[in-house]
Amino acid sequence: MPLGQDDKPDIPSLVRPGGGGPTALRILLGAQLRRLRTTRGITRDQAGHTIRASEAKISRLELGRVGFKDRDVADLLTLYGVTEAAERDTFLQLARQANAPGWWHKFSDLLPNWFELYVGLEEAASVIRTYEIQFVPGLLQTPDYARAVIKLGHYGASADEMTRRVDLRMARQQRVTHPGGPKLWALVDEAALRRPLGGPGVMRAQVEHLLDMAARPNITVQVVPFGQGGHSAAGGPFSILRFLEGDLPDVVYMEQLTSALYLDKREETDPYMKVMDHLCVEAATVTESRRLLSSLLDEF
């Protein structure tokens, strides 16, 4: 039977140009399908049987980790009691938008799956908070500094591959620097600023770039100085992404050598949010951080 009015998900506003990017749209659509399924009391196994797939496939769809086929979405909507033509069409439009390749698709040969998901989430985020220990955050790196960092992990890469990897990092920065970009709040350990990657000239240009970027209204840079001693983020670097869409939870991202960890459950993300808040208090203020960065210019 059709869903009651109170049970219908409010999704028409999500089908719009630039609706957060394909990764965000996949997550939104997956969340809506999960809500429909649980409202009807249908198990993942039953839903999987309907689209000739496994329970694990339904889980991946609902998490937005894979693309959607029109036929699968249509069959699930029928199973979930969504029968009105206009409502079904809204879901199918959303699925098609979610399947559209992002701008980073042309770099897919360089992006492992675990990082491609992050690039998509980063593109959709309205607030990005990041803490770095070893390096200046990628969204604030100059091309020369980025090249020195990338070379550490891809020492045998060809000159062309290195150039494309740097280009990818610079492309990620464009949304932050364009009008209407996300709020970026970066906390950088002083150790990252004193590690001479690329040589004194590269580091001096990098620090100057940090000062320039920190002057933008949507970017905040704080330095966690040596004088602070121990601090809250003893576990290592991490980022927190927040989204305007209410159905998208905060995501905590922690990169490892050959994989990454994504946390999106409230009980998992809350401790990281508290640590990030503590770090903002423990770090040098924005004014003190600018003063510290300016003093580093003389050292380089």
Side-chain angles (χ1 to χ4, degrees):
M1 61 181 293
L3 293 176
Q5 188 64 38
D6 292 340
D7 297 324
K8 293 181 180 179
D10 180 20
I11 69 164
S13 63
L14 302 178
V15 183
R16 62 194 188 278
T23 303
L25 291 177
R26 283 202 308 269
I27 296 172
L28 285 168
L29 178 56
Q32 299 293 358
L33 291 174
R34 180 174 64 249
R35 185 178 303 170
L36 287 170
R37 179 181 60 77
T38 57
T39 297
R40 299 284 291 183
I42 296 170
T43 67
R44 288 194 182 95
D45 185 61
Q46 291 170 322
H49 180 74
T50 296
I51 64 169
R52 304 151 297 279
S54 65
E55 178 181 355
K57 172 70 176 293
I58 294 296
S59 178
R60 291 194 295 272
L61 285 172
E62 292 182 348
L63 291 171
R65 300 292 170 83
V66 293
F68 294 87
K69 296 179 181 177
D70 280 9
R71 177 183 172 183
D72 290 345
V73 174
D75 288 347
L76 289 174
L77 292 175
T78 299
L79 177 65
Y80 300 157
V82 179
T83 58
E84 293 181 7
E87 190 176 358
R88 291 172 67 88
D89 187 58
T90 297
F91 272 101
L92 291 170
Q93 285 184 54
L94 183 58
R96 290 168 194 137
Q97 289 185 27
N99 286 335
W103 62 261
W104 54 92
H105 181 70
K106 64 181 179 180
F107 295 102
S108 58
D109 59 314
L110 303 178
L111 287 168
N113 291 337
W114 53 267
F115 188 63
E116 185 171 358
L117 174 61
Y118 177 77
V119 174
L121 290 172
E122 183 182 79
E123 175 76 6
S126 61
V127 179
I128 302 169
R129 302 177 71 184
T130 185
Y131 169 64
E132 279 288 352
I133 299 174
Q134 291 197 67
F135 309 116
V136 170
L139 292 176
L140 296 174
Q141 294 177 3
T142 65
D144 287 340
Y145 181 90
R147 185 178 296 275
V149 172
I150 292 169
K151 189 174 182 180
L152 295 175
H154 302 277
Y155 191 79
S158 67
D160 179 64
E161 180 183 337
M162 287 295 297
T163 296
R164 293 184 66 228
R165 288 188 180 280
V166 173
D167 288 346
L168 169 60
R169 191 158 300 185
M170 296 303 106
R172 286 171 52 205
Q173 296 180 9
Q174 289 181 13
R175 184 167 174 266
V176 176
T177 56
H178 282 182
K183 166 75 174 176
L184 173 61
W185 195 333
L187 291 108
V188 189
D189 197 281
E190 185 177 348
L193 301 172
R194 294 187 178 278
R195 185 168 286 109
L197 285 169
V202 169
M203 288 304 301
R204 180 179 177 84
Q206 177 60 70
V207 172
E208 289 175 339
H209 183 64
L210 275 178
L211 286 165
D212 290 342
M213 294 292 278
R216 293 176 176 267
N218 64 316
I219 297 177
T220 300
V221 176
Q222 286 183 267
V223 178
V224 183
F226 285 145
Q228 176 60 37
H231 50 73
S232 304
F238 65 98
S239 296
I240 302 174
L241 307 180
R242 174 161 288 179
F243 310 89
L244 289 176
E245 291 84 354
D247 278 338
L248 287 177
D250 293 345
V251 173
V252 172
Y253 171 78
M254 287 173 285
E255 189 169 321
Q256 299 167 357
L257 185 61
T258 58
S259 63
L261 182 63
Y262 293 86
L263 306 176
D264 61 6
K265 293 182 174 60
R266 185 71 178 270
E267 62 270 20
E268 296 173 332
T269 60
D270 274 357
Y272 287 90
M273 190 67 71
K274 291 176 182 176
V275 168
M276 188 69 82
D277 289 342
H278 280 303
L279 271 173
C280 291
V281 174
E282 295 168 352
T285 66
V286 171
T287 300
E288 292 168 345
S289 295
R290 288 190 64 85
R291 191 178 302 125
L292 193 156
L293 289 170
S294 296
S295 69
L296 285 174
L297 291 177
D298 295 331
E299 297 184 25
F300 293 124

Short mmCIF file of all heavy atoms in Angstrom, two decimals, residues 112-149:
data_model
loop_
_atom_site.label_atom_id
_atom_site.label_comp_id
_atom_site.label_asym_id
_atom_site.label_seq_id
_atom_site.Cartn_x
_atom_site.Cartn_y
_atom_site.Cartn_z
N PRO A 112 42.94 5.93 -5.28
CA PRO A 112 42.41 4.67 -4.75
C PRO A 112 40.97 4.89 -4.29
O PRO A 112 40.57 6.02 -3.97
CB PRO A 112 43.34 4.38 -3.56
CG PRO A 112 43.91 5.70 -3.17
CD PRO A 112 43.99 6.51 -4.43
N ASN A 113 40.18 3.83 -4.27
CA ASN A 113 38.76 3.96 -3.92
C ASN A 113 38.54 4.63 -2.58
O ASN A 113 37.62 5.43 -2.40
CB ASN A 113 38.09 2.58 -3.93
CG ASN A 113 37.98 2.00 -5.34
OD1 ASN A 113 37.99 2.75 -6.31
ND2 ASN A 113 37.89 0.69 -5.44
N TRP A 114 39.40 4.31 -1.61
CA TRP A 114 39.19 4.84 -0.26
C TRP A 114 39.42 6.35 -0.21
O TRP A 114 38.85 7.04 0.63
CB TRP A 114 40.09 4.13 0.76
CG TRP A 114 41.56 4.10 0.41
CD1 TRP A 114 42.22 3.12 -0.24
CD2 TRP A 114 42.54 5.11 0.71
NE1 TRP A 114 43.56 3.44 -0.37
CE2 TRP A 114 43.78 4.65 0.21
CE3 TRP A 114 42.49 6.34 1.38
CZ2 TRP A 114 44.95 5.38 0.34
CZ3 TRP A 114 43.66 7.07 1.50
CH2 TRP A 114 44.87 6.59 0.99
N PHE A 115 40.24 6.88 -1.13
CA PHE A 115 40.46 8.33 -1.13
C PHE A 115 39.49 9.04 -2.07
O PHE A 115 39.15 10.20 -1.85
CB PHE A 115 41.90 8.65 -1.53
CG PHE A 115 42.24 10.11 -1.36
CD1 PHE A 115 42.23 10.69 -0.11
CD2 PHE A 115 42.56 10.90 -2.45
CE1 PHE A 115 42.52 12.05 0.06
CE2 PHE A 115 42.86 12.25 -2.29
CZ PHE A 115 42.83 12.82 -1.03
N GLU A 116 39.03 8.35 -3.12
CA GLU A 116 38.06 8.95 -4.02
C GLU A 116 36.79 9.32 -3.26
O GLU A 116 36.18 10.36 -3.51
CB GLU A 116 37.73 7.99 -5.16
CG GLU A 116 36.82 8.60 -6.21
CD GLU A 116 36.69 7.73 -7.44
OE1 GLU A 116 37.34 6.66 -7.50
OE2 GLU A 116 35.92 8.11 -8.35
N LEU A 117 36.39 8.48 -2.30
CA LEU A 117 35.23 8.79 -1.48
C LEU A 117 35.46 10.08 -0.69
O LEU A 117 34.57 10.94 -0.61
CB LEU A 117 34.95 7.63 -0.51
CG LEU A 117 33.85 7.87 0.53
CD1 LEU A 117 32.52 8.14 -0.14
CD2 LEU A 117 33.76 6.67 1.48
N TYR A 118 36.67 10.26 -0.15
CA TYR A 118 36.95 11.48 0.61
C TYR A 118 36.89 12.72 -0.28
O TYR A 118 36.33 13.74 0.12
CB TYR A 118 38.32 11.41 1.28
CG TYR A 118 38.66 12.69 1.99
CD1 TYR A 118 38.08 12.97 3.23
CD2 TYR A 118 39.50 13.64 1.42
CE1 TYR A 118 38.33 14.16 3.88
CE2 TYR A 118 39.74 14.84 2.07
CZ TYR A 118 39.17 15.09 3.30
OH TYR A 118 39.41 16.29 3.93
N VAL A 119 37.44 12.65 -1.49
CA VAL A 119 37.42 13.80 -2.39
C VAL A 119 35.98 14.21 -2.67
O VAL A 119 35.64 15.40 -2.69
CB VAL A 119 38.18 13.48 -3.70
CG1 VAL A 119 38.03 14.62 -4.70
CG2 VAL A 119 39.66 13.25 -3.41
N GLY A 120 35.10 13.22 -2.87
CA GLY A 120 33.70 13.52 -3.11
C GLY A 120 33.03 14.16 -1.90
O GLY A 120 32.25 15.11 -2.04
N LEU A 121 33.33 13.67 -0.71
CA LEU A 121 32.76 14.24 0.51
C LEU A 121 33.31 15.65 0.75
O LEU A 121 32.57 16.55 1.15
CB LEU A 121 33.08 13.34 1.70
CG LEU A 121 32.36 11.99 1.74
CD1 LEU A 121 32.91 11.13 2.86
CD2 LEU A 121 30.86 12.18 1.90
N GLU A 122 34.60 15.83 0.51
CA GLU A 122 35.23 17.14 0.67
C GLU A 122 34.57 18.16 -0.26
O GLU A 122 34.34 19.32 0.12
CB GLU A 122 36.72 17.01 0.36
CG GLU A 122 37.53 18.27 0.55
CD GLU A 122 38.99 18.04 0.17
OE1 GLU A 122 39.30 18.05 -1.04
OE2 GLU A 122 39.81 17.84 1.08
N GLU A 123 34.25 17.74 -1.49
CA GLU A 123 33.60 18.61 -2.46
C GLU A 123 32.23 19.07 -1.97
O GLU A 123 31.78 20.18 -2.28
CB GLU A 123 33.47 17.86 -3.79
CG GLU A 123 32.72 18.59 -4.88
CD GLU A 123 33.53 19.69 -5.54
OE1 GLU A 123 34.73 19.80 -5.22
OE2 GLU A 123 32.97 20.43 -6.35
N ALA A 124 31.55 18.21 -1.20
CA ALA A 124 30.18 18.51 -0.76
C ALA A 124 30.12 19.22 0.59
O ALA A 124 29.07 19.76 0.95
CB ALA A 124 29.37 17.22 -0.69
N ALA A 125 31.23 19.23 1.33
CA ALA A 125 31.20 19.73 2.71
C ALA A 125 30.99 21.24 2.77
O ALA A 125 31.44 21.99 1.90
CB ALA A 125 32.50 19.36 3.42
N SER A 126 30.30 21.67 3.81
CA SER A 126 30.14 23.11 4.06
C SER A 126 31.15 23.61 5.08
O SER A 126 31.47 24.79 5.11
CB SER A 126 28.72 23.42 4.54
OG SER A 126 28.44 22.74 5.76
N VAL A 127 31.64 22.70 5.93
CA VAL A 127 32.68 23.04 6.91
C VAL A 127 33.70 21.90 6.92
O VAL A 127 33.33 20.73 6.97
CB VAL A 127 32.10 23.20 8.33
CG1 VAL A 127 33.22 23.51 9.32
CG2 VAL A 127 31.05 24.29 8.37
N ILE A 128 34.97 22.26 6.82
CA ILE A 128 36.07 21.28 6.89
C ILE A 128 36.98 21.71 8.03
O ILE A 128 37.55 22.80 8.01
CB ILE A 128 36.87 21.24 5.58
CG1 ILE A 128 35.96 20.90 4.40
CG2 ILE A 128 38.02 20.23 5.68
CD1 ILE A 128 36.62 21.08 3.04
N ARG A 129 37.10 20.85 9.02
CA ARG A 129 38.02 21.12 10.13
C ARG A 129 39.10 20.04 10.09
O ARG A 129 38.80 18.85 10.00
CB ARG A 129 37.28 21.08 11.48
CG ARG A 129 36.15 22.08 11.57
CD ARG A 129 35.40 21.97 12.88
NE ARG A 129 36.19 22.46 14.01
CZ ARG A 129 35.78 22.40 15.29
NH1 ARG A 129 34.62 21.85 15.58
NH2 ARG A 129 36.55 22.86 16.24
N THR A 130 40.35 20.45 10.12
CA THR A 130 41.43 19.49 9.95
C THR A 130 42.58 19.78 10.90
O THR A 130 42.87 20.95 11.20
CB THR A 130 41.93 19.48 8.49
OG1 THR A 130 42.90 18.45 8.31
CG2 THR A 130 42.53 20.83 8.08
N TYR A 131 43.20 18.72 11.40
CA TYR A 131 44.39 18.85 12.25
C TYR A 131 45.51 18.03 11.62
O TYR A 131 45.32 16.86 11.28
CB TYR A 131 44.11 18.35 13.66
CG TYR A 131 45.37 18.21 14.49
CD1 TYR A 131 46.13 19.34 14.82
CD2 TYR A 131 45.81 16.97 14.92
CE1 TYR A 131 47.30 19.23 15.55
CE2 TYR A 131 46.97 16.85 15.67
CZ TYR A 131 47.72 17.98 15.98
OH TYR A 131 48.88 17.85 16.69
N GLU A 132 46.66 18.67 11.41
CA GLU A 132 47.80 18.01 10.77
C GLU A 132 49.04 18.10 11.64
O GLU A 132 49.29 19.14 12.28
CB GLU A 132 48.09 18.62 9.41
CG GLU A 132 47.20 18.11 8.29
CD GLU A 132 47.53 16.67 7.89
OE1 GLU A 132 48.55 16.13 8.36
OE2 GLU A 132 46.76 16.10 7.11
N ILE A 133 49.83 17.03 11.64
CA ILE A 133 51.05 16.97 12.45
C ILE A 133 52.31 17.07 11.59
O ILE A 133 53.21 17.85 11.88
CB ILE A 133 51.10 15.65 13.26
CG1 ILE A 133 49.91 15.55 14.21
CG2 ILE A 133 52.42 15.55 14.03
CD1 ILE A 133 49.83 14.21 14.93
N GLN A 134 52.36 16.29 10.50
CA GLN A 134 53.59 16.22 9.70
C GLN A 134 53.66 17.25 8.59
O GLN A 134 54.75 17.73 8.26
CB GLN A 134 53.71 14.82 9.07
CG GLN A 134 53.98 13.70 10.05
CD GLN A 134 54.49 12.48 9.32
OE1 GLN A 134 55.60 12.49 8.78
NE2 GLN A 134 53.70 11.44 9.29
N PHE A 135 52.52 17.57 7.99
CA PHE A 135 52.53 18.43 6.81
C PHE A 135 51.51 19.55 6.93
O PHE A 135 50.55 19.47 7.71
CB PHE A 135 52.18 17.60 5.55
CG PHE A 135 52.99 16.35 5.40
CD1 PHE A 135 52.38 15.11 5.43
CD2 PHE A 135 54.36 16.41 5.21
CE1 PHE A 135 53.12 13.95 5.29
CE2 PHE A 135 55.11 15.26 5.06
CZ PHE A 135 54.49 14.02 5.11
N VAL A 136 51.70 20.58 6.13
CA VAL A 136 50.66 21.59 5.96
C VAL A 136 49.47 20.89 5.31
O VAL A 136 49.64 20.05 4.42
CB VAL A 136 51.18 22.73 5.05
CG1 VAL A 136 50.04 23.68 4.66
CG2 VAL A 136 52.31 23.49 5.74
N PRO A 137 48.24 21.18 5.73
CA PRO A 137 47.07 20.53 5.12
C PRO A 137 47.05 20.67 3.61
O PRO A 137 47.42 21.71 3.06
CB PRO A 137 45.89 21.26 5.77
CG PRO A 137 46.42 21.73 7.08
CD PRO A 137 47.85 22.09 6.83
N GLY A 138 46.62 19.62 2.92
CA GLY A 138 46.63 19.60 1.46
C GLY A 138 45.90 20.76 0.83
O GLY A 138 46.31 21.25 -0.23
N LEU A 139 44.80 21.21 1.45
CA LEU A 139 44.02 22.31 0.89
C LEU A 139 44.72 23.66 1.02
O LEU A 139 44.24 24.66 0.47
CB LEU A 139 42.65 22.38 1.56
CG LEU A 139 41.71 21.20 1.27
CD1 LEU A 139 40.42 21.34 2.06
CD2 LEU A 139 41.42 21.09 -0.23
N LEU A 140 45.87 23.68 1.71
CA LEU A 140 46.59 24.94 1.91
C LEU A 140 48.02 24.87 1.37
O LEU A 140 48.82 25.75 1.63
CB LEU A 140 46.62 25.30 3.40
CG LEU A 140 45.26 25.58 4.04
CD1 LEU A 140 45.41 25.77 5.56
CD2 LEU A 140 44.62 26.81 3.42
N GLN A 141 48.33 23.84 0.60
CA GLN A 141 49.69 23.66 0.11
C GLN A 141 49.93 24.42 -1.19
O GLN A 141 49.04 24.55 -2.03
CB GLN A 141 49.97 22.17 -0.14
CG GLN A 141 49.99 21.34 1.14
CD GLN A 141 50.20 19.85 0.87
OE1 GLN A 141 50.39 19.44 -0.28
NE2 GLN A 141 50.17 19.05 1.92
N THR A 142 51.16 24.90 -1.37
CA THR A 142 51.56 25.46 -2.66
C THR A 142 51.91 24.30 -3.59
O THR A 142 52.17 23.17 -3.12
CB THR A 142 52.80 26.36 -2.52
OG1 THR A 142 53.92 25.55 -2.10
CG2 THR A 142 52.56 27.47 -1.50
N PRO A 143 51.97 24.52 -4.90
CA PRO A 143 52.34 23.44 -5.82
C PRO A 143 53.71 22.84 -5.52
O PRO A 143 53.88 21.62 -5.55
CB PRO A 143 52.30 24.11 -7.19
CG PRO A 143 51.31 25.22 -7.04
CD PRO A 143 51.51 25.73 -5.64
N ASP A 144 54.71 23.67 -5.22
CA ASP A 144 56.05 23.15 -4.95
C ASP A 144 56.10 22.35 -3.66
O ASP A 144 56.76 21.30 -3.60
CB ASP A 144 57.06 24.30 -4.89
CG ASP A 144 57.36 24.90 -6.25
OD1 ASP A 144 57.11 24.21 -7.27
OD2 ASP A 144 57.82 26.06 -6.31
N TYR A 145 55.42 22.84 -2.65
CA TYR A 145 55.38 22.09 -1.38
C TYR A 145 54.62 20.79 -1.58
O TYR A 145 55.04 19.72 -1.10
CB TYR A 145 54.71 22.94 -0.30
CG TYR A 145 54.64 22.27 1.06
CD1 TYR A 145 55.67 22.43 1.99
CD2 TYR A 145 53.55 21.49 1.42
CE1 TYR A 145 55.61 21.83 3.24
CE2 TYR A 145 53.48 20.89 2.67
CZ TYR A 145 54.51 21.05 3.57
OH TYR A 145 54.45 20.45 4.81
N ALA A 146 53.49 20.84 -2.31
CA ALA A 146 52.71 19.63 -2.57
C ALA A 146 53.56 18.60 -3.30
O ALA A 146 53.52 17.40 -3.00
CB ALA A 146 51.47 19.97 -3.40
N ARG A 147 54.36 19.06 -4.26
CA ARG A 147 55.22 18.14 -5.00
C ARG A 147 56.22 17.44 -4.08
O ARG A 147 56.46 16.23 -4.19
CB ARG A 147 55.97 18.89 -6.10
CG ARG A 147 56.81 18.02 -7.02
CD ARG A 147 57.46 18.86 -8.11
NE ARG A 147 56.46 19.46 -8.98
CZ ARG A 147 55.93 18.84 -10.02
NH1 ARG A 147 56.32 17.62 -10.34
NH2 ARG A 147 55.03 19.46 -10.77
N ALA A 148 56.78 18.20 -3.13
CA ALA A 148 57.74 17.61 -2.19
C ALA A 148 57.06 16.59 -1.29
O ALA A 148 57.63 15.53 -0.99
CB ALA A 148 58.37 18.73 -1.35
N VAL A 149 55.83 16.87 -0.87
CA VAL A 149 55.10 15.92 0.00
C VAL A 149 54.72 14.67 -0.80
O VAL A 149 54.91 13.54 -0.33
CB VAL A 149 53.82 16.59 0.56
CG1 VAL A 149 52.96 15.56 1.29
CG2 VAL A 149 54.20 17.71 1.51
#
